[in-house]
Amino acid sequence: MLFDIQEELKKLPAKPGVYLMHDEKDEIIYVGKAISLKNRVRQYFQTSRNKGPKIERMVTHIARFEYIITDSELEALVLECNLIKEHRPKYNTMLMDDKTYPFIKVTVNEPFPRVMLARKMVKDKAKYFGPYTSAGAVKDTIELVRKVYKIRSCNRKLPGDIGLERPCLNYHIHQCDAPCQGYISQEEYRRSIDEVIRFLNGDYDPIMKDLQKKMMDASDALEFEKAIEYRELLGSIKKIAEKQKITNTAGEERDVLAVATEGEDAVVQVFFVRGGRLIGRDHFYLKIANEETPSEILSSFMKQFYAGTPYIPSELMLPEEIEDAALLEEWLSKKRGHKVSLRVPKKGSKEKLVELAMKNAELVLSKDMERIKREEGRTIGALKELEKLLGLQDIVRMEAYDISNISGYASVGSMVVYEKGKPKRNDYRKFRIKSVQGPNDYASMEEVLTRRFEHGKRELEEGEIRDSFTTFPDLLMMDGGKGQVNIALDVLQKLKLNIPVCGMVKDDNHRTRGLYFEGREIAIDRESEAFKLITRIQDEAHRFAIEYHRNLRSQGQVRSVLDDIPGIGPARRKDLMRSFENIEAVRNAGVEELKKLPSMNEASAKAVYDFFHQELSR
């Protein structure tokens, strides 16, 4: 049905909620929130209002809109965050990085606690430290803590499992006190855990003094190996201590944010202050419109970043005021479970910290601008070249397929997805070939494509939420020339789908030499970004298929066809595989030739021969 925008505008309720703008392809291109949907959505279509170039461009692409009513503006904010993260609309300011930050977890809820890395904080009565910006630093710290305090790293359930198994290697190399054997009491082990917690809280002095004394005592006793070990541990602790830069607001926890912009690129720098110490910093890239202000960018960033981060500090320091500060404070406080404040420092050390974050953001942006441009050339630029070669427009999503098997046995198929020139690994899919026997790549590819698009059509007709199958590609990339392309076109025709299909043609050395599209081969410059992108897609489809097949083999799920021959055990199968180049050679061998193998007698040779020739007769 035709969507009449003016008529639908009249039906908008004067209630809080979220609105979603769709283009002519029914893609969601913008998500926004409103206190009053009626007033906010109407503004986009009022010619008298100054909307800015970005919004003006977006409005020209709106084919329809939809909306979701909420009970409050806060609920609308939460829903807006979730929808932006899910759909990544073209005209929203988008956070390009999707990072997670590790914690150090001490399982104080266990009788004999462990120290481990955790990717998220959960309510399990354990004690968490972090989040930290470097997983490598976390792993180093955990390893150091285990060495210094001799904390167990095993998963044994203690004290129930005490004495059931021998102590592990860590006990023998003096890196664990073996609570699994009862060699240390629960009280004594707990004292070590208390020291670990002090250490993770940043109190390094006691352990450094202790190691210094042990090093000197070992040296005086001429135990130089022990002295060197203590010296190395001491050095590791000093390195960790040096990274924890002290601020002059001891005990406070805050994030310090600043933004730098250039054209359509922005970098937000975040300093993480925990327990009064600057434990790390990180930067994030965003795609913006030229006219967006720093406050608008920071607001969009905070919604996306803090919707996903597992820890929110009590204070966020910003370089300037943002429009919806009160609403963001309410949302962040609700997520944290305690009050969160947004501050704009005007003087003193806090202002200097914000200035430092700003300088870092500017430095990162200027330093990485060339890299960003190169990355755009490899992705968006390559797509533009490909569009020009094929005479197509608006290629966003591409899918490529490959088949892998061993002499036709247990064939598998792979589907890889590239969006905007980058792999979208969450949308990759694997297929076990069900209807094809033997090495028939064409028939296997037909099955894979039929299953993929039938699944997608069925879910769309049933109104399912979009996933990897219900989002159809703008271009199908087939690993081969005319034959593979025709298979894909036949499947699409049967299913009444109109999707362009392009073949990636290889030369005699199995290297890509050109593209097969609309009945002709198109030459392509080997130095172009488009060629490099095609090669990456082709290699990725091949890698993913082979990796799946290899995993199945390692799990014992893929067997040789020789396993199905009655009376042929492991020794004779091995003999056959050593003596013949492939399964086809075994199939073509006569009884007399098979009898010559060391492990074969007449009965077994005849069993092999009969198996293949009866199979052929079927």
Side-chain angles (χ1 to χ4, degrees), residues 53 56 66 79 137 147 177 190 235 239 260 275 313 319 340 363 371 374 380 391 411 423 493 504 530 548 556 567-568:
E56 292 281 4
E66 59 179 318
L79 182 57
K147 282 181 181 177
D177 283 330
R190 275 281 173 176
K239 281 183 183 176
V340 176
L363 183 65
R371 184 190 60 78
R374 283 200 305 272
I380 304 300
S411 293
Q493 188 175 9
M504 299 178 282
Y548 179 37
I568 301 300

Side-chain angles (χ1 to χ4, degrees), residues 196-407:
V196 168
I197 291 169
R198 284 181 64 189
F199 177 83
L200 293 174
N201 277 323
D203 188 0
Y204 307 119
D205 290 340
I207 186 61
M208 289 173 75
K209 288 175 182 176
D210 184 46
L211 285 174
Q212 183 82 28
K213 183 178 182 303
K214 286 180 178 177
M215 181 180 71
M216 297 308 295
D217 289 347
S219 178
D220 291 342
L222 304 181
E223 294 176 336
F224 298 117
E225 287 186 7
K226 272 191 176 181
I228 290 170
E229 184 182 339
Y230 291 135
R231 186 188 67 191
E232 288 176 351
L233 288 173
L234 191 59
S236 298
I237 292 170
K238 283 179 178 176
K239 281 183 183 176
I240 289 173
E242 283 168 6
K243 289 179 182 177
Q244 308 294 318
K245 298 178 183 175
I246 301 293
T247 69
N248 60 2
T249 52
E252 296 186 3
E253 297 191 351
R254 60 167 59 93
D255 286 353
V256 182
L257 291 81
V259 62
T261 64
E262 184 173 324
E264 294 185 347
D265 297 300
V267 166
V268 173
Q269 181 82 39
V270 184
F271 285 172
F272 303 98
V273 179
R274 302 290 181 266
R277 300 172 184 270
L278 180 60
I279 67 163
R281 62 182 182 178
D282 211 342
H283 57 268
F284 303 83
Y285 294 101
L286 297 98
K287 276 293 175 189
I288 62 170
N290 284 317
E291 67 275 8
E292 281 190 269
T293 64
S295 64
E296 289 172 332
I297 296 164
L298 281 170
S299 177
S300 296
F301 169 80
M302 289 164 65
K303 292 173 192 174
Q304 294 175 68
F305 179 67
Y306 291 109
T309 188
Y311 180 81
I312 300 170
S314 58
E315 185 177 79
L316 306 181
M317 293 203 313
L318 309 174
E320 59 182 88
E321 300 286 350
I322 57 175
E323 185 179 344
D324 47 359
L327 182 63
L328 279 169
E329 280 186 344
E330 185 183 355
W331 171 61
L332 291 167
S333 299
K334 193 171 182 180
K335 278 183 68 68
R336 174 182 162 86
H338 296 285
K339 173 69 174 172
V340 176
S341 303
L342 305 187
R343 301 271 187 259
V344 181
K346 302 296 184 184
K347 60 182 181 179
S349 59
K350 293 181 179 179
E351 185 191 21
K352 285 184 170 57
L353 201 54
V354 173
E355 285 178 7
L356 184 62
M358 177 72 76
K359 287 176 182 175
N360 274 269
E362 291 168 352
L363 183 65
V364 168
L365 188 62
S366 62
K367 182 181 71 176
D368 286 357
M369 188 53 62
E370 191 59 39
R371 184 190 60 78
I372 292 169
K373 297 302 179 189
R374 283 200 305 272
E375 179 64 18
E376 280 188 357
R378 291 178 71 249
T379 55
I380 304 300
L383 280 179
K384 296 296 181 189
E385 288 181 14
L386 190 58
E387 287 175 354
K388 192 174 180 181
L389 273 171
L390 302 179
L392 298 173
Q393 290 182 339
D394 299 325
I395 298 175
V396 176
R397 181 185 176 99
M398 296 188 290
E399 292 179 6
Y401 297 81
D402 197 18
I403 303 295
S404 179
N405 59 65
I406 298 176
S407 299

Side-chain angles (χ1 to χ4, degrees), residues 103-130:
F103 292 81
I104 294 177
K105 175 180 177 180
V106 183
T107 60
V108 291
N109 49 318
E110 295 179 335
F112 290 90
R114 294 166 293 156
V115 181
M116 61 185 71
L117 182 146
R119 283 290 171 186
K120 59 182 179 180
M121 185 188 292
V122 294
K123 293 181 179 178
D124 58 359
K125 298 182 180 178
K127 194 168 184 65
Y128 289 84
F129 298 86

